[in-house]
């Protein structure tokens, strides 16, 4: 095996060690900063041709099991020169202590095992204390922010200028549902972007909070809307649209809109629900038909406009085609 492959092969063999990771490109380092937020990073910048670097690899393997709360990273300095430069690395081997914040906490250029051990022990203790202090401050800020709004969206960009497709889709859903909300642009605040992930235990954006509690991201929100559950979670003060205008907007917002007198899942299970309605709901579920449900029973504004016309009211391209029997005929004919 050539000298150039020694480090890569050795590190790949450590794949089951969650505290030890080889970094081969900038993207991997950025991902580590997201995935391992809240851990001290101990980074070895090395040269594959250098004997001192090879011996330090074995020390890194040993210490990564001794200090599993830290994350031990290895970086080939000549390959990732930009990353090495960002930490002020000029010679190899160099060990840098940092975190996902990417600031240098300590740097060792003349590395000996005893000094490295003491430094890890010292920096890990300091990091844990500082991280907990920061956590208390950021959690207080997040909870203060959540307490100011019943419906709060953490998005990329603003409602006027969304900066990702997922955000744009989410905002469109809020508009379709007639939900008013406040928003926070997480691209404008790196600290909030990192700490909110840690707070909510949700890795991606956008994130939807209602009454201070995480609902989820775009997919969860879409699923709740499809099942007719989303608006049941939204406080009344965030549903302020004129009922008639809202009804017109709803039935025109999708190719096929099904208004239901209750939650579709519960209607299917309820003994008092007409068999025709149950059969229809089951058929839609089995065929995974692309229908959108809206629980009008949970909407005090729309309910009087629809109530008494049947548990199921179906609109296609904004036009009313009937109830459960008409939709059953439409589906079974296909």
């Amino acid at each position: 095996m050539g000298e150039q492959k020694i480090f890569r092969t050795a590190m790949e063999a450590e794949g089951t060690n969650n505290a030890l990771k080889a970094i081969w490109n900038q993207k991997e380092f950025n991902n580590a900063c997201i995935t391992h937020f809240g851990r001290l990073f101990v980074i070895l910048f090395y040269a594959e041709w250098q004997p001192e670097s090879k011996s330090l690899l074995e020390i890194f393997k040993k210490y990564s099991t001794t200090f599993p709360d830290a994350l031990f990273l290895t970086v080939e300095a000549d390959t990732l020169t930009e990353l090495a430069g960002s930490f002020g690395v000029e010679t190899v081997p160099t060990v840098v202590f940092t975190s996902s914040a990417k600031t240098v906490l300590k740097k060792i250029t003349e590395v000996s095992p005893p000094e490295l051990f003491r430094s890890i022990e010292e920096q890990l203790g300091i990091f844990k204390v500082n991280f907990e202090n920061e956590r208390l401050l950021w959690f207080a800020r997040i909870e203060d922010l959540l307490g100011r709004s019943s419906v709060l969206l953490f998005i990329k960009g603003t409602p006027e200028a969304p900066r990702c497709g997922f955000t744009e889709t989410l905002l469109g859903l809020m508009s379709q549902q007639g939900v008013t909300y406040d928003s926070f642009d997480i691209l404008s605040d790196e600290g909030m972007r990192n700490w909110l992930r840690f707070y909510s235990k949700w890795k991606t954006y956008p994130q939807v909070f209602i009454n201070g509690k995480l609902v989820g991201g775009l997919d969860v929100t879409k699923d709740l809307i499809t099942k007719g559950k989303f608006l049941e979670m939204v406080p009344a003060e965030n549903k302020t649209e004129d009922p008639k205008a809202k009804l017109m907007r709803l039935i025109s917002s999708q190719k096929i809109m099904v208004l239901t007198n209750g939650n579709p899942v519960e209607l299917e299970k309820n003994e008092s629900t007409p068999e025709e309605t149950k059969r229809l709901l089951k058929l839609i579920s089995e065929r995974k038909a692309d229908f959108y449900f809206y629980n009008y029973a949970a909407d005090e504004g729309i309910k009087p406009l629809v109530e008494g016309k049947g548990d199921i009211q179906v609109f296609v391209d904004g036009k009313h085609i009937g109830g459960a029997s008409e939709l059953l005929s439409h589906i079974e004919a296909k």
Side-chain angles (χ1 to χ4, degrees), residues 137-155:
L137 290 172
W138 274 103
F139 276 26
R141 181 184 171 192
I142 290 169
E143 287 169 1
D144 176 66
L145 198 59
L146 292 174
R148 297 181 187 182
S149 177
S150 299
V151 179
L152 182 58
L153 313 181
F154 289 89
I155 60 177

Side-chain angles (χ1 to χ4, degrees), residues 23 25-26 29-30 33 41 43 45 73 75-91 94-107:
I23 298 296
N25 55 60
Q26 184 67 46
F29 181 70
N30 293 338
C33 289
F41 291 4
I43 308 177
F45 289 92
L73 305 176
V75 177
E76 207 285 308
D78 289 339
T79 300
L80 295 182
T81 54
E82 188 173 340
L83 182 60
S86 70
F87 288 108
V89 174
E90 297 178 347
T91 60
T94 292
V95 173
V96 172
F97 294 84
T98 185
S99 68
S100 55
K102 303 176 186 177
T103 55
V104 177
L105 304 175
K106 184 174 182 177
K107 184 162 55 179

Side-chain angles (χ1 to χ4, degrees), residues 117-135:
F117 187 95
R118 287 193 300 270
S119 295
I120 295 170
E121 201 169 39
E122 171 196 57
Q123 290 300 314
L124 194 55
I126 294 171
F127 178 82
K128 286 182 176 180
V129 171
N130 290 342
F131 185 83
E132 178 59 15
N133 290 336
E134 263 198 283
R135 186 191 70 80

Side-chain angles (χ1 to χ4, degrees), residues 256 287 291 328-334:
I256 303 176
R287 296 196 178 187
F291 296 177
L328 263 175
S329 300
H330 176 77
I331 293 176
E332 290 176 339
K334 291 186 176 183

Side-chain angles (χ1 to χ4, degrees), residues 32 61 211 254 258 322:
K61 290 179 185 178
N211 289 328
Q254 304 295 335
V258 183

